[in-house]
Amino acid sequence: MAESARVSSVDLELKRLEKRLDELLHTIGQLKEENRALRARQDALAAEKTSLLHRNEQVRARVEAMIGRLKAMEHSA
């Protein structure tokens, strides 16, 4: 009887460990997917930042050119 109780206890412990392992594997899968999504979002944001910096430089150049033309018009008037 003691032997069968010990076997039953070991079986229960193995089932508990198996369930916990399945939960951990599921969590790992979720974390991998979340990590992939975050990396994709980070890449998109980096590309958007680059684009915005480029547009900002273009606008700055246009504004500086306008200021230069206004100053030239002011001096010629």
Side-chain angles (χ1 to χ4, degrees):
M1 186 69 124
E3 182 66 25
S4 80
R6 193 170 29 189
V7 170
S8 178
S9 176
V10 169
D11 284 345
L12 286 174
E13 182 66 13
L14 285 174
K15 286 182 193 242
R16 187 188 70 76
L17 289 172
E18 182 180 10
K19 183 179 180 208
R20 183 65 180 138
L21 184 60
D22 287 342
E23 291 170 354
L24 289 171
L25 289 171
H26 180 71
T27 301
I28 288 170
Q30 288 178 322
L31 289 172
K32 282 183 178 180
E33 176 56 29
E34 182 180 349
N35 192 32
R36 185 206 57 76
L38 287 171
R39 286 182 190 273
R41 179 71 175 140
Q42 182 181 19
D43 290 345
L45 289 172
E48 182 180 1
K49 178 184 175 185
T50 300
S51 174
L52 289 172
L53 287 172
H54 181 67
R55 285 176 49 198
N56 191 29
E57 279 302 313
Q58 288 177 328
V59 169
R60 183 187 324 274
R62 288 173 60 192
V63 168
E64 288 175 357
M66 282 190 255
I67 291 171
R69 287 195 302 273
L70 287 172
K71 285 183 179 180
M73 288 172 56
E74 186 180 74
H75 289 302
S76 66

